Amino acid sequence: MSQNQTNQQRQRGRPKLNETAATSVAELLGFVRKHQALTRLELEKISGFGRAVVADRLALLSELGLAHENETGISGGGRVPRMVSFSKNRAVLVVASIDQSSISVALSDLTGKLTAQHHEPGDLGLDPSDGADRMITLIRLMLSRQTKLPELWGISISVPGPIGPSENGSPLTSTPDFLPGWNESKLVERLIAEFSVPIWLMPSVNTMTVGELHGGTSENNDCMLFIKTGKRFTAGLVYEGRPYKGATGAVGLIGQLPATHEGILGTLDSLAGAEFIEQAALREARNGTSEQLTDLLNRGGELTLNEICQAAQLGDTVCVSIITASGKLVGTALATLLNMLNPKCVILAGALAQTNDIFLAAVREAVYGASHPLVTRDLQILQSQLGNTAGLLGSAHICLNALFEPKMLRGWVMMGTPLMHPDIISIMQPKIVSEGLV
Amino acid sequence: MGIIGLGPHGERAAPPERVVLLPNDIAMARRKKFRVAIIMHTLESDWSKQLVTGIIGTLGDAGAIVVEVVDCSFSAEAQIHALKRIRLMQLDCVISLPITSEAVADAHRMIAESGTRLVLVDNVPSGLLPSKDYASFVSADNYGLGMMAAEMLSEHIPQNGSIALLGYDKEFFATNEREISFSRWISTNRPDITTNIYHFNSIRTVGQLAKDLLTKPYCPSGMFVVWDTPCVEVLKVMNQIDNHVPITTIDLGSEVASSLAQNGPIKGISAQRPFQQGESIGKTTVTDLLGRKCPDWVALPGLAVRQSNVAESYQAIWRMPAPRAILDGLAPRKNNLNSEI
């Protein structure tokens, strides 16, 4: 009997190496990716695996291009250790964001760092298929600009509305109606057909909250309230370091909170949002009470939130008063939430908060006036520093969390790419063939 | 013309008027005697020289001393070296034009972490955030500049023609914006035109790229070059092989302005206003050093320059009379006009 036959007989009935190794390979990659272990010795300690197993799995990860040991560390007395690093440039992600007035596309490495980004104005009120066309064109442009483009592993998009049951983190196979008419644009189906990668869509308030948690002022904050301002007000809550999703995923619809302005009862959206501000400014411009607004109206024909905020910042008293009124209403509503939730910090983002300091000052004034002193004692109320980048950063991290989720990772790690995961293959193939989108 | 584009993080632009120095501010700044360094990608171009003049003059008015102006000659290594050296000087502020987005990011972050304030020009390195890592970002509306150039070139492109877009292959905010907005304007307003994008990695290679394009069987009907220095190389190639197609570019350098005035291949130029941009950078720097918050992005609108307004635009942008080559190019047209009258 040959040696080969003897080995085959011994292995009969045992699981194959790629079946047993997947768990340990995935576990070790997880430690390396999260910087929980940086050397072989640390990996042995944290995982409990023997030296031979760690060496074998690292060799495999290196062969798959997922980790490498190129750098040397500092000796602790013996031989200089080799540092184990996650291969962050093994693949690239495309992340994008559609907002009421802008469209953004970026590339991210496998740590969630944005390596290139572009933002441009875009009107969401126009035909959704035009919006989808533009997004696909921008993705093509961003990818074509890269001289060395690694494998594309996924596309993650931040959208300005709820997407329904798919918010559980699974990639999508069809376009949800996050705003009226968008399911007709076939955005998701077209992206799958063109790029053959999994697609994620997430409401922008979720992506922005996650983005702030990973790169903004409140990085790694374990208790944070994120408020997105603009046409509508939405909020995201980070509790114990994780975004809180609620029972049905409908967290943070604070624009529906009741508000009163000059005796009129309405909602926060209707009495403090961008449309209300623009209408108020238009009335003042027509009445001639603000020279600057009248001049803007005569020159441009319309008054946008941005122009009104700029005018307020330049000292136009009418604009200051309109923005202050909006800020006070938001602050009053916010105080109720703060008294209940007691977060460490509040981040204000969106067009209204980021173009001027007057809104921020008014929010602070109302919050301090209507909150318990214990709640506001150490509370920070800050403007977002990330701007639209928050949504992109959050989209990248949502995509990475899905790809490297332990169960998912075990399903693809031995192939070296999530595109070979059976679930991903099954999601993409039928769609491409049945809809004739190729 | 208003600001069309969005900032590097999707910010809305603040106009330069948002950053004003009042007599009190200037008096206070003079008492503090701020020390500032300027780090440029190059000091060779007309644009750079004018920008630096604007910065230095404005800082001088406010009593701030420019201790060093560094020319990095488009080298990321030189910029990293300069930033590391300047960090040790413990200045009040560094004004920098980052050469790339990725390679120089850590060196810029080190400046921010050392307590020296950072004001960025035309590009923001990857991962740096306003307020947290840098005080403000000042640039032209590059998105608007690209659109202007597209509109001016489209007037010279026949139905179903093609345009060769010569872009810069480095990840750089200003040139990326111009490239993307140019393509967008053409696809929206002249869908019959095909835009083919080609990238060059240095000014030395752009001439060969243009030569390859202009000598192939299907020569483009027009060209757009993302700024004027490489455009001058393209003009040289056109003269060499005697094949002139309409071009538009960004920045009103003397050579491209002369070609525009003399009815050469240049049909339009989207001009930045480097002197005014330099003044805005100076004011932003002083405002920040006085402890007042500056806008995340201060943007200046561009100026569409055609043959009809090239001389006065030259004066407005460079603050000096237009050179003889431009005026001579325009003179016959004036004579013709007189003879027609």
mmCIF file of all heavy atoms in Angstrom, chain A residues 101-102 113 116-121 134 145 215 219 306 310 313 383 385-386 388-389, chain B residues 4 6 8-10 12-13 18 102 129-130 132 143 168 170-171 176-177 179-180 184 199:
data_model
loop_
_atom_site.group_PDB
_atom_site.id
_atom_site.type_symbol
_atom_site.label_atom_id
_atom_site.label_comp_id
_atom_site.label_asym_id
_atom_site.label_seq_id
_atom_site.Cartn_x
_atom_site.Cartn_y
_atom_site.Cartn_z
ATOM 1 N N SER A 101 -30.054 67.217 -1.890
ATOM 2 C CA SER A 101 -29.466 68.181 -2.815
ATOM 3 C C SER A 101 -28.055 67.824 -3.253
ATOM 4 O O SER A 101 -27.360 68.662 -3.808
ATOM 5 C CB SER A 101 -29.441 69.561 -2.138
ATOM 6 O OG SER A 101 -28.704 69.475 -0.945
ATOM 7 N N SER A 102 -27.621 66.609 -2.981
ATOM 8 C CA SER A 102 -26.261 66.259 -3.400
ATOM 9 C C SER A 102 -26.131 64.759 -3.618
ATOM 10 O O SER A 102 -26.951 63.967 -3.151
ATOM 11 C CB SER A 102 -25.236 66.718 -2.357
ATOM 12 O OG SER A 102 -25.433 66.023 -1.160
ATOM 13 N N LYS A 113 -11.297 53.392 5.620
ATOM 14 C CA LYS A 113 -10.720 54.710 5.340
ATOM 15 C C LYS A 113 -11.047 55.106 3.899
ATOM 16 O O LYS A 113 -10.838 54.309 2.971
ATOM 17 C CB LYS A 113 -9.206 54.654 5.541
ATOM 18 C CG LYS A 113 -8.549 56.004 5.384
ATOM 19 C CD LYS A 113 -7.051 55.882 5.530
ATOM 20 C CE LYS A 113 -6.389 57.181 5.126
ATOM 21 N NZ LYS A 113 -4.962 57.050 4.974
ATOM 22 N N ALA A 116 -10.593 58.173 -1.719
ATOM 23 C CA ALA A 116 -10.938 59.191 -2.718
ATOM 24 C C ALA A 116 -12.418 59.475 -2.570
ATOM 25 O O ALA A 116 -13.201 58.560 -2.311
ATOM 26 C CB ALA A 116 -10.654 58.662 -4.116
ATOM 27 N N GLN A 117 -12.802 60.719 -2.682
ATOM 28 C CA GLN A 117 -14.237 61.034 -2.586
ATOM 29 C C GLN A 117 -14.591 62.225 -3.457
ATOM 30 O O GLN A 117 -13.758 63.086 -3.737
ATOM 31 C CB GLN A 117 -14.675 61.260 -1.145
ATOM 32 C CG GLN A 117 -13.927 62.340 -0.378
ATOM 33 C CD GLN A 117 -14.441 62.464 1.059
ATOM 34 O OE1 GLN A 117 -15.631 62.642 1.289
ATOM 35 N NE2 GLN A 117 -13.537 62.367 2.020
ATOM 36 N N HIS A 118 -15.839 62.225 -3.892
ATOM 37 C CA HIS A 118 -16.335 63.330 -4.718
ATOM 38 C C HIS A 118 -17.778 63.620 -4.315
ATOM 39 O O HIS A 118 -18.573 62.708 -4.130
ATOM 40 C CB HIS A 118 -16.270 62.957 -6.199
ATOM 41 C CG HIS A 118 -17.033 63.903 -7.077
ATOM 42 N ND1 HIS A 118 -16.582 65.179 -7.336
ATOM 43 C CD2 HIS A 118 -18.223 63.791 -7.717
ATOM 44 C CE1 HIS A 118 -17.471 65.796 -8.116
ATOM 45 N NE2 HIS A 118 -18.465 64.975 -8.362
ATOM 46 N N HIS A 119 -18.077 64.910 -4.186
ATOM 47 C CA HIS A 119 -19.436 65.340 -3.855
ATOM 48 C C HIS A 119 -19.867 66.341 -4.913
ATOM 49 O O HIS A 119 -19.085 67.213 -5.288
ATOM 50 C CB HIS A 119 -19.472 66.047 -2.495
ATOM 51 C CG HIS A 119 -18.868 65.247 -1.390
ATOM 52 N ND1 HIS A 119 -19.616 64.488 -0.521
ATOM 53 C CD2 HIS A 119 -17.578 65.078 -1.006
ATOM 54 C CE1 HIS A 119 -18.813 63.893 0.352
ATOM 55 N NE2 HIS A 119 -17.563 64.244 0.079
ATOM 56 N N GLU A 120 -21.090 66.234 -5.362
ATOM 57 C CA GLU A 120 -21.565 67.231 -6.319
ATOM 58 C C GLU A 120 -23.035 67.521 -6.082
ATOM 59 O O GLU A 120 -23.767 66.699 -5.519
ATOM 60 C CB GLU A 120 -21.315 66.774 -7.758
ATOM 61 C CG GLU A 120 -22.129 65.579 -8.189
ATOM 62 C CD GLU A 120 -21.872 65.206 -9.651
ATOM 63 O OE1 GLU A 120 -20.727 65.317 -10.119
ATOM 64 O OE2 GLU A 120 -22.838 64.796 -10.317
ATOM 65 N N PRO A 121 -23.486 68.717 -6.518
ATOM 66 C CA PRO A 121 -24.898 69.032 -6.321
ATOM 67 C C PRO A 121 -25.785 68.154 -7.196
ATOM 68 O O PRO A 121 -25.394 67.777 -8.297
ATOM 69 C CB PRO A 121 -24.992 70.503 -6.748
ATOM 70 C CG PRO A 121 -23.778 70.774 -7.565
ATOM 71 C CD PRO A 121 -22.733 69.800 -7.147
ATOM 72 N N ARG A 134 -26.616 58.951 -12.924
ATOM 73 C CA ARG A 134 -25.492 59.772 -12.480
ATOM 74 C C ARG A 134 -24.618 59.018 -11.476
ATOM 75 O O ARG A 134 -23.399 59.099 -11.513
ATOM 76 C CB ARG A 134 -26.022 61.087 -11.878
ATOM 77 C CG ARG A 134 -24.938 62.078 -11.524
ATOM 78 C CD ARG A 134 -24.166 62.540 -12.745
ATOM 79 N NE ARG A 134 -22.948 63.257 -12.410
ATOM 80 C CZ ARG A 134 -21.871 63.316 -13.188
ATOM 81 N NH1 ARG A 134 -21.854 62.729 -14.357
ATOM 82 N NH2 ARG A 134 -20.808 63.975 -12.810
ATOM 83 N N ARG A 145 -10.348 56.070 -12.448
ATOM 84 C CA ARG A 145 -9.239 56.956 -12.087
ATOM 85 C C ARG A 145 -8.115 56.222 -11.349
ATOM 86 O O ARG A 145 -7.034 56.759 -11.198
ATOM 87 C CB ARG A 145 -9.741 58.091 -11.183
ATOM 88 C CG ARG A 145 -10.538 59.155 -11.894
ATOM 89 C CD ARG A 145 -10.723 60.348 -10.989
ATOM 90 N NE ARG A 145 -9.452 60.848 -10.527
ATOM 91 C CZ ARG A 145 -8.622 61.608 -11.228
ATOM 92 N NH1 ARG A 145 -8.961 61.983 -12.428
ATOM 93 N NH2 ARG A 145 -7.479 62.012 -10.723
ATOM 94 N N GLY A 215 -15.414 58.313 12.954
ATOM 95 C CA GLY A 215 -14.418 59.268 12.472
ATOM 96 C C GLY A 215 -14.677 60.709 12.813
ATOM 97 O O GLY A 215 -13.894 61.585 12.471
ATOM 98 N N GLU A 219 -15.965 60.306 17.965
ATOM 99 C CA GLU A 219 -15.391 59.001 17.653
ATOM 100 C C GLU A 219 -15.335 58.124 18.908
ATOM 101 O O GLU A 219 -14.883 58.571 19.956
ATOM 102 C CB GLU A 219 -13.983 59.212 17.091
ATOM 103 C CG GLU A 219 -13.454 58.013 16.376
ATOM 104 C CD GLU A 219 -12.151 58.334 15.648
ATOM 105 O OE1 GLU A 219 -11.825 59.518 15.499
ATOM 106 O OE2 GLU A 219 -11.483 57.379 15.255
ATOM 107 N N ASN A 306 -29.120 77.512 1.960
ATOM 108 C CA ASN A 306 -27.707 77.872 2.042
ATOM 109 C C ASN A 306 -27.527 79.391 2.008
ATOM 110 O O ASN A 306 -26.785 79.970 2.816
ATOM 111 C CB ASN A 306 -26.955 77.214 0.885
ATOM 112 C CG ASN A 306 -25.459 77.330 1.043
ATOM 113 O OD1 ASN A 306 -24.942 77.197 2.143
ATOM 114 N ND2 ASN A 306 -24.770 77.595 -0.046
ATOM 115 N N GLN A 310 -26.086 81.774 4.944
ATOM 116 C CA GLN A 310 -24.924 82.644 4.682
ATOM 117 C C GLN A 310 -25.260 84.088 5.056
ATOM 118 O O GLN A 310 -24.448 84.784 5.673
ATOM 119 C CB GLN A 310 -24.536 82.609 3.191
ATOM 120 C CG GLN A 310 -24.094 81.264 2.669
ATOM 121 C CD GLN A 310 -22.686 80.902 3.092
ATOM 122 O OE1 GLN A 310 -22.093 81.603 3.898
ATOM 123 N NE2 GLN A 310 -22.190 79.797 2.591
ATOM 124 N N GLN A 313 -25.177 84.543 8.700
ATOM 125 C CA GLN A 313 -23.802 84.551 9.193
ATOM 126 C C GLN A 313 -23.125 85.896 8.916
ATOM 127 O O GLN A 313 -22.268 86.335 9.668
ATOM 128 C CB GLN A 313 -23.022 83.409 8.528
ATOM 129 C CG GLN A 313 -21.743 83.023 9.221
ATOM 130 C CD GLN A 313 -21.972 82.362 10.573
ATOM 131 O OE1 GLN A 313 -23.065 81.882 10.855
ATOM 132 N NE2 GLN A 313 -20.966 82.377 11.417
ATOM 133 N N GLN A 383 -21.225 70.789 16.229
ATOM 134 C CA GLN A 383 -21.492 70.625 14.803
ATOM 135 C C GLN A 383 -20.694 69.424 14.311
ATOM 136 O O GLN A 383 -19.582 69.195 14.775
ATOM 137 C CB GLN A 383 -20.986 71.836 14.021
ATOM 138 C CG GLN A 383 -21.895 73.034 14.069
ATOM 139 C CD GLN A 383 -21.227 74.232 13.421
ATOM 140 O OE1 GLN A 383 -20.023 74.344 13.384
ATOM 141 N NE2 GLN A 383 -22.045 75.141 12.937
ATOM 142 N N GLN A 385 -18.167 67.535 12.049
ATOM 143 C CA GLN A 385 -17.016 67.961 11.248
ATOM 144 C C GLN A 385 -16.920 67.168 9.959
ATOM 145 O O GLN A 385 -16.148 67.477 9.079
ATOM 146 C CB GLN A 385 -15.729 67.767 12.053
ATOM 147 C CG GLN A 385 -15.636 68.705 13.208
ATOM 148 C CD GLN A 385 -14.584 68.276 14.209
ATOM 149 O OE1 GLN A 385 -14.123 67.146 14.193
ATOM 150 N NE2 GLN A 385 -14.218 69.183 15.074
ATOM 151 N N LEU A 386 -17.718 66.117 9.880
ATOM 152 C CA LEU A 386 -17.593 65.229 8.731
ATOM 153 C C LEU A 386 -18.415 65.677 7.524
ATOM 154 O O LEU A 386 -18.119 65.285 6.401
ATOM 155 C CB LEU A 386 -18.022 63.811 9.121
ATOM 156 C CG LEU A 386 -17.093 63.049 10.055
ATOM 157 C CD1 LEU A 386 -17.749 61.765 10.518
ATOM 158 C CD2 LEU A 386 -15.792 62.731 9.355
ATOM 159 N N ASN A 388 -20.959 65.654 4.615
ATOM 160 C CA ASN A 388 -21.496 64.514 3.863
ATOM 161 C C ASN A 388 -20.612 63.281 3.979
ATOM 162 O O ASN A 388 -21.047 62.173 3.672
ATOM 163 C CB ASN A 388 -21.629 64.877 2.383
ATOM 164 C CG ASN A 388 -22.769 65.837 2.149
ATOM 165 O OD1 ASN A 388 -23.393 66.317 3.093
ATOM 166 N ND2 ASN A 388 -23.050 66.123 0.895
ATOM 167 N N THR A 389 -19.365 63.486 4.411
ATOM 168 C CA THR A 389 -18.453 62.351 4.545
ATOM 169 C C THR A 389 -18.967 61.359 5.593
ATOM 170 O O THR A 389 -18.677 60.171 5.514
ATOM 171 C CB THR A 389 -17.040 62.857 4.927
ATOM 172 O OG1 THR A 389 -16.608 63.739 3.894
ATOM 173 C CG2 THR A 389 -16.039 61.730 5.044
ATOM 174 N N ILE B 4 -20.815 76.634 -7.647
ATOM 175 C CA ILE B 4 -21.629 75.498 -8.076
ATOM 176 C C ILE B 4 -21.251 74.226 -7.309
ATOM 177 O O ILE B 4 -22.106 73.464 -6.895
ATOM 178 C CB ILE B 4 -21.459 75.261 -9.591
ATOM 179 C CG1 ILE B 4 -21.924 76.506 -10.354
ATOM 180 C CG2 ILE B 4 -22.265 74.038 -10.046
ATOM 181 C CD1 ILE B 4 -21.582 76.487 -11.821
ATOM 182 N N LEU B 6 -19.367 71.458 -4.550
ATOM 183 C CA LEU B 6 -19.368 71.207 -3.110
ATOM 184 C C LEU B 6 -17.935 70.977 -2.650
ATOM 185 O O LEU B 6 -17.069 70.633 -3.459
ATOM 186 C CB LEU B 6 -20.217 69.980 -2.784
ATOM 187 C CG LEU B 6 -21.699 70.054 -3.180
ATOM 188 C CD1 LEU B 6 -22.399 68.739 -2.879
ATOM 189 C CD2 LEU B 6 -22.408 71.192 -2.451
ATOM 190 N N PRO B 8 -14.664 69.406 -0.221
ATOM 191 C CA PRO B 8 -14.083 68.055 -0.168
ATOM 192 C C PRO B 8 -14.844 67.089 0.730
ATOM 193 O O PRO B 8 -14.703 65.886 0.607
ATOM 194 C CB PRO B 8 -12.670 68.301 0.363
ATOM 195 C CG PRO B 8 -12.663 69.660 0.916
ATOM 196 C CD PRO B 8 -13.723 70.441 0.225
ATOM 197 N N HIS B 9 -15.662 67.611 1.656
ATOM 198 C CA HIS B 9 -16.510 66.742 2.471
ATOM 199 C C HIS B 9 -17.983 67.014 2.193
ATOM 200 O O HIS B 9 -18.841 66.762 3.038
ATOM 201 C CB HIS B 9 -16.209 66.933 3.959
ATOM 202 C CG HIS B 9 -14.813 66.582 4.330
ATOM 203 N ND1 HIS B 9 -13.824 67.515 4.477
ATOM 204 C CD2 HIS B 9 -14.215 65.383 4.518
ATOM 205 C CE1 HIS B 9 -12.685 66.905 4.758
ATOM 206 N NE2 HIS B 9 -12.893 65.622 4.790
ATOM 207 N N GLY B 10 -18.261 67.589 1.029
ATOM 208 C CA GLY B 10 -19.637 67.888 0.658
ATOM 209 C C GLY B 10 -20.144 69.188 1.257
ATOM 210 O O GLY B 10 -21.349 69.448 1.262
ATOM 211 N N ARG B 12 -21.085 73.138 1.808
ATOM 212 C CA ARG B 12 -21.506 74.268 0.976
ATOM 213 C C ARG B 12 -20.436 75.345 1.128
ATOM 214 O O ARG B 12 -19.895 75.539 2.222
ATOM 215 C CB ARG B 12 -22.850 74.819 1.447
ATOM 216 C CG ARG B 12 -23.975 73.821 1.379
ATOM 217 C CD ARG B 12 -24.525 73.709 -0.021
ATOM 218 N NE ARG B 12 -25.320 72.499 -0.155
ATOM 219 C CZ ARG B 12 -25.830 72.062 -1.306
ATOM 220 N NH1 ARG B 12 -25.604 72.730 -2.421
ATOM 221 N NH2 ARG B 12 -26.545 70.968 -1.362
ATOM 222 N N ALA B 13 -20.190 76.052 0.047
ATOM 223 C CA ALA B 13 -19.123 77.055 0.073
ATOM 224 C C ALA B 13 -19.527 78.306 0.839
ATOM 225 O O ALA B 13 -20.695 78.696 0.824
ATOM 226 C CB ALA B 13 -18.768 77.451 -1.350
ATOM 227 N N ARG B 18 -17.204 86.307 3.726
ATOM 228 C CA ARG B 18 -17.478 85.819 5.081
ATOM 229 C C ARG B 18 -16.280 86.028 6.003
ATOM 230 O O ARG B 18 -16.417 86.051 7.231
ATOM 231 C CB ARG B 18 -17.781 84.319 5.026
ATOM 232 C CG ARG B 18 -19.225 83.925 4.901
ATOM 233 C CD ARG B 18 -19.975 83.987 6.201
ATOM 234 N NE ARG B 18 -19.482 83.052 7.209
ATOM 235 C CZ ARG B 18 -19.854 81.803 7.314
ATOM 236 N NH1 ARG B 18 -20.732 81.302 6.485
ATOM 237 N NH2 ARG B 18 -19.362 81.038 8.268
ATOM 238 N N GLU B 102 -3.031 61.208 -0.445
ATOM 239 C CA GLU B 102 -2.683 60.079 0.415
ATOM 240 C C GLU B 102 -1.280 60.225 1.040
ATOM 241 O O GLU B 102 -1.134 60.169 2.255
ATOM 242 C CB GLU B 102 -2.758 58.804 -0.434
ATOM 243 C CG GLU B 102 -2.829 57.523 0.355
ATOM 244 C CD GLU B 102 -4.085 57.377 1.190
ATOM 245 O OE1 GLU B 102 -5.169 57.767 0.725
ATOM 246 O OE2 GLU B 102 -3.968 56.899 2.330
ATOM 247 N N LEU B 129 -9.948 66.403 8.755
ATOM 248 C CA LEU B 129 -11.280 66.992 8.908
ATOM 249 C C LEU B 129 -11.199 68.465 9.293
ATOM 250 O O LEU B 129 -10.291 68.857 10.034
ATOM 251 C CB LEU B 129 -12.048 66.251 10.003
ATOM 252 C CG LEU B 129 -12.395 64.790 9.708
ATOM 253 C CD1 LEU B 129 -13.029 64.165 10.925
ATOM 254 C CD2 LEU B 129 -13.337 64.711 8.517
ATOM 255 N N PRO B 130 -12.168 69.273 8.809
ATOM 256 C CA PRO B 130 -12.177 70.678 9.194
ATOM 257 C C PRO B 130 -12.416 70.820 10.697
ATOM 258 O O PRO B 130 -13.075 69.978 11.302
ATOM 259 C CB PRO B 130 -13.351 71.253 8.386
ATOM 260 C CG PRO B 130 -14.209 70.091 8.033
ATOM 261 C CD PRO B 130 -13.293 68.917 7.922
ATOM 262 N N LYS B 132 -11.172 69.951 13.231
ATOM 263 C CA LYS B 132 -10.405 68.986 14.018
ATOM 264 C C LYS B 132 -8.920 69.005 13.600
ATOM 265 O O LYS B 132 -8.039 69.122 14.442
ATOM 266 C CB LYS B 132 -10.979 67.589 13.797
ATOM 267 C CG LYS B 132 -10.407 66.502 14.671
ATOM 268 C CD LYS B 132 -11.124 65.193 14.350
ATOM 269 C CE LYS B 132 -10.516 64.030 15.091
ATOM 270 N NZ LYS B 132 -11.063 62.754 14.601
ATOM 271 N N TYR B 143 -15.330 72.950 -9.572
ATOM 272 C CA TYR B 143 -16.444 72.307 -10.278
ATOM 273 C C TYR B 143 -17.025 73.282 -11.314
ATOM 274 O O TYR B 143 -17.273 72.928 -12.457
ATOM 275 C CB TYR B 143 -17.509 71.898 -9.259
ATOM 276 C CG TYR B 143 -18.472 70.865 -9.761
ATOM 277 C CD1 TYR B 143 -18.136 69.512 -9.720
ATOM 278 C CD2 TYR B 143 -19.712 71.221 -10.268
ATOM 279 C CE1 TYR B 143 -19.025 68.555 -10.181
ATOM 280 C CE2 TYR B 143 -20.605 70.268 -10.726
ATOM 281 C CZ TYR B 143 -20.251 68.928 -10.677
ATOM 282 O OH TYR B 143 -21.134 67.980 -11.143
ATOM 283 N N TYR B 168 -5.212 64.800 -14.746
ATOM 284 C CA TYR B 168 -4.031 64.507 -13.938
ATOM 285 C C TYR B 168 -4.292 63.213 -13.183
ATOM 286 O O TYR B 168 -5.354 63.057 -12.584
ATOM 287 C CB TYR B 168 -3.838 65.678 -12.963
ATOM 288 C CG TYR B 168 -2.538 65.700 -12.197
ATOM 289 C CD1 TYR B 168 -1.343 65.324 -12.788
ATOM 290 C CD2 TYR B 168 -2.513 66.143 -10.879
ATOM 291 C CE1 TYR B 168 -0.154 65.386 -12.086
ATOM 292 C CE2 TYR B 168 -1.330 66.214 -10.166
ATOM 293 C CZ TYR B 168 -0.149 65.827 -10.773
ATOM 294 O OH TYR B 168 1.027 65.887 -10.073
ATOM 295 N N LYS B 170 -3.066 62.028 -10.451
ATOM 296 C CA LYS B 170 -2.932 62.043 -8.985
ATOM 297 C C LYS B 170 -4.301 62.345 -8.354
ATOM 298 O O LYS B 170 -5.130 63.003 -8.962
ATOM 299 C CB LYS B 170 -1.940 63.121 -8.547
ATOM 300 C CG LYS B 170 -0.537 62.936 -9.129
ATOM 301 C CD LYS B 170 0.254 61.912 -8.352
ATOM 302 C CE LYS B 170 1.698 61.831 -8.788
ATOM 303 N NZ LYS B 170 1.912 61.451 -10.183
ATOM 304 N N GLU B 171 -4.482 61.845 -7.131
ATOM 305 C CA GLU B 171 -5.715 62.115 -6.410
ATOM 306 C C GLU B 171 -5.610 63.529 -5.837
ATOM 307 O O GLU B 171 -4.944 63.763 -4.837
ATOM 308 C CB GLU B 171 -5.871 61.069 -5.287
ATOM 309 C CG GLU B 171 -7.252 60.915 -4.754
ATOM 310 C CD GLU B 171 -8.313 60.686 -5.805
ATOM 311 O OE1 GLU B 171 -8.119 59.813 -6.657
ATOM 312 O OE2 GLU B 171 -9.324 61.403 -5.791
ATOM 313 N N ASN B 176 -9.566 66.807 -9.937
ATOM 314 C CA ASN B 176 -10.659 65.819 -9.995
ATOM 315 C C ASN B 176 -11.987 66.505 -10.275
ATOM 316 O O ASN B 176 -12.781 66.059 -11.092
ATOM 317 C CB ASN B 176 -10.804 65.076 -8.665
ATOM 318 C CG ASN B 176 -9.677 64.117 -8.413
ATOM 319 O OD1 ASN B 176 -8.798 63.975 -9.246
ATOM 320 N ND2 ASN B 176 -9.695 63.478 -7.267
ATOM 321 N N GLU B 177 -12.228 67.605 -9.547
ATOM 322 C CA GLU B 177 -13.498 68.320 -9.692
ATOM 323 C C GLU B 177 -13.675 68.857 -11.112
ATOM 324 O O GLU B 177 -14.746 68.769 -11.699
ATOM 325 C CB GLU B 177 -13.552 69.498 -8.705
ATOM 326 C CG GLU B 177 -13.647 69.094 -7.261
ATOM 327 C CD GLU B 177 -14.960 68.412 -6.932
ATOM 328 O OE1 GLU B 177 -16.002 69.060 -7.004
ATOM 329 O OE2 GLU B 177 -14.934 67.211 -6.606
ATOM 330 N N GLU B 179 -12.341 67.743 -13.869
ATOM 331 C CA GLU B 179 -12.517 66.630 -14.806
ATOM 332 C C GLU B 179 -13.964 66.114 -14.761
ATOM 333 O O GLU B 179 -14.600 65.932 -15.803
ATOM 334 C CB GLU B 179 -11.529 65.533 -14.386
ATOM 335 C CG GLU B 179 -11.440 64.384 -15.330
ATOM 336 C CD GLU B 179 -10.460 63.334 -14.810
ATOM 337 O OE1 GLU B 179 -9.359 63.672 -14.362
ATOM 338 O OE2 GLU B 179 -10.822 62.148 -14.880
ATOM 339 N N ILE B 180 -14.468 65.926 -13.555
ATOM 340 C CA ILE B 180 -15.812 65.354 -13.395
ATOM 341 C C ILE B 180 -16.875 66.333 -13.899
ATOM 342 O O ILE B 180 -17.812 65.950 -14.601
ATOM 343 C CB ILE B 180 -16.049 64.954 -11.915
ATOM 344 C CG1 ILE B 180 -15.155 63.766 -11.553
ATOM 345 C CG2 ILE B 180 -17.505 64.609 -11.671
ATOM 346 C CD1 ILE B 180 -15.142 63.392 -10.090
ATOM 347 N N ARG B 184 -19.528 65.989 -17.006
ATOM 348 C CA ARG B 184 -20.961 66.058 -16.705
ATOM 349 C C ARG B 184 -21.650 67.085 -17.596
ATOM 350 O O ARG B 184 -22.742 66.850 -18.109
ATOM 351 C CB ARG B 184 -21.167 66.421 -15.228
ATOM 352 C CG ARG B 184 -22.627 66.354 -14.833
ATOM 353 C CD ARG B 184 -22.883 66.788 -13.404
ATOM 354 N NE ARG B 184 -24.278 66.574 -13.057
ATOM 355 C CZ ARG B 184 -24.804 66.891 -11.907
ATOM 356 N NH1 ARG B 184 -24.068 67.412 -10.965
ATOM 357 N NH2 ARG B 184 -26.077 66.682 -11.669
ATOM 358 N N HIS B 199 -5.173 60.200 -18.801
ATOM 359 C CA HIS B 199 -4.478 60.791 -17.649
ATOM 360 C C HIS B 199 -2.965 60.856 -17.884
ATOM 361 O O HIS B 199 -2.386 59.923 -18.425
ATOM 362 C CB HIS B 199 -4.762 59.981 -16.379
ATOM 363 C CG HIS B 199 -6.174 60.141 -15.907
ATOM 364 N ND1 HIS B 199 -7.053 59.091 -15.801
ATOM 365 C CD2 HIS B 199 -6.869 61.238 -15.535
ATOM 366 C CE1 HIS B 199 -8.227 59.537 -15.381
ATOM 367 N NE2 HIS B 199 -8.145 60.843 -15.208
#
